[in-house]
Amino acid sequence: MSEFGILSIGPPLLAIVLAIATKRVIPSLFVGIWAGGIIYTGSFGIAQSFDWLIEAIIADDGFHAQILVFTLLLGSGVALIWRLGGAIAVRNWAVERLESRRKIGLMTWILGLGIFFDYASMAIVGSTMREASDRLRIPREKLSYIVDSTTAPVATIGISSWVAFQLSMINEGFSNIESEGAAQAPDVFSVYLHSIPYNAYAILSIVMVGIIVTTQRDYGEMLDAEHRAQTTGAVNAPDADPLQDMDESLSEPNATRPMLRTFLLPISMLLAVTVGGALWTGYDGQPVLEPLFALEITTFVREVVTIAADGAWTTALMWGSFAMVMTAIAIGLAYDLCDLDESIDAILEGFELMLTAVTILVLAWTIGTVANALGTGNYVASLVENILSPGVFPALVFLVAAVISFTMGSSWATMGLLTPTAIPVAFELTGGFGSTSVVVGAVFSGAIFGDHTSPISDTTVLSSTFTGTDLIAHVRTQSYYAVTVAIISILFYLTYGFFETSPVALLPAGMLLLVGVVYGLSKFDARRKGIDLTSIRNGAGDSTYDSSSESTTPTERLD
């Protein structure tokens, strides 16, 4: 129990409420931090607030500092690609081949699934698809939703830095079990693999994106955004304050020779160096190919995944983003598209482009530091410790994880707080390890759901940044879909808890339920608002693009 009691919830909630009410995220976050300083010190609190700011930047052995460097370098890489005409080339390629809004949405979704390492995925997919989606009047809120609701869920069930952290938290949970039976704890990696089918929110969230982009049906504030974009052509609301505006922040791109290689080569270098660097830092010298030669496929896959999970992904992301910048500079010089002085100017413009996002990231992390100092997560967890039963426990873990993640703005912090606690409690409730995997899956699911609905989440900030969306507009439009998936996830956990139904049956049932809910709510909401769903699905923007208006020929576009 936190010594500050209910006051420990105050600072993060204050920051979130102010951000949503005023749409001014930076001052709202600072007010929340300052309020935490006052509560913590019992005095003016400003000195403590700045101490927390510094602590947040250097926290986790420099993890946050590495993310800041990566973000700034990535901004420079994006600015260089823009200056070289890479964004124009991608837009031209996409418009020629992805001629409908459905195809644009599906391509964005597939890219998000394929580029499975968290922060870089948001940057690559958001930057890649933004120009093409704008041409077909897809609202930026929809693009940001697809990017955000694909990236974070995939990171929890794919190969990324998240997996290594999750494995360490499961191991810590086992070490917290004070019982003779703890010696019989299952293998940590096996628990993680078995938890994937129970990571209901992550799986259903990915499916939900597929349903939305395939059916072209929307409800809630996303339907309003779609209606606005189709009827006015405005991909952002008139009062929106995007975290990134390429047209206003960057110099004019090279439109005379837009070549796909100016985009593909820097991005390929980013991917190759990042993945290669992570595998290199995770390799422990053990022979990896021997199990493959011996046809021990399971052992081989386990070794590869372990190497990837042990890799220093944030360090590799820095290396990859630097390689991306250097590759773009080399291309500019080689093709006489951009001289060295112009390249340096673009790098500085990229830093400036990321300044707002970096500021919000630092303040959001600091709110998490405040919450840790005040014991917010422990207080929330303690509120429900006396209402436990095996049947409701998985659903309760999901809800507690969601609240902690929402108030702290960090799924990682939530996993770190709750997984080591939930595993021993599950062991005591059931007298064994049979429910460990489902509890781990529930923690991961709740953490991601809280992330998706919190304006102080780093993944929410970055997805808004790289899609050029207003942060609060992204949170508001995405929340309708996130809450829908969360409700079905709760039904999933309650059904498992009371009837021990296999996820093999529960997940397909949840997917079918999602389809029904999307069709029903979209029809009801459209009728209520007097909006013609057919016109939105067909897309007024689909027929507005005239390829003859472009200054380049198809041959030049594909160079």
Side-chain angles (χ1 to χ4, degrees), residues 160-170 309 411-416:
S160 73
S161 55
W162 293 52
V163 176
F165 182 72
Q166 291 167 330
L167 292 173
S168 66
M169 290 302 100
I170 295 170
S411 52
W412 282 51
T414 302
M415 295 172 192

Side-chain angles (χ1 to χ4, degrees), residues 330-402:
I331 292 172
L333 295 175
Y335 287 94
D336 197 25
L337 299 173
C338 187
D339 61 32
L340 190 58
D341 287 339
E342 290 173 328
S343 297
I344 293 173
D345 288 342
I347 289 172
L348 296 177
E349 286 180 348
F351 287 165
E352 185 177 352
L353 193 68
M354 293 292 108
L355 189 58
T356 299
V358 164
T359 302
I360 294 175
L361 281 176
V362 170
L363 292 173
W365 289 332
T366 306
I367 280 285
T369 303
V370 173
N372 275 328
L374 298 180
T376 303
N378 291 330
Y379 175 73
V380 172
S382 70
L383 292 178
V384 296
E385 64 183 3
N386 295 321
I387 53 174
L388 301 178
S389 73
V392 302
F393 187 61
L396 194 60
V397 168
F398 173 85
L399 289 171
V400 172

Side-chain angles (χ1 to χ4, degrees), residues 223 227 230 526-527 529-538:
L223 178 61
H227 182 61
Q230 292 305 309
R527 185 185 298 118
K529 295 174 178 176
I531 297 175
D532 182 7
L533 275 178
T534 303
S535 65
I536 292 180
R537 287 202 301 275
N538 291 337

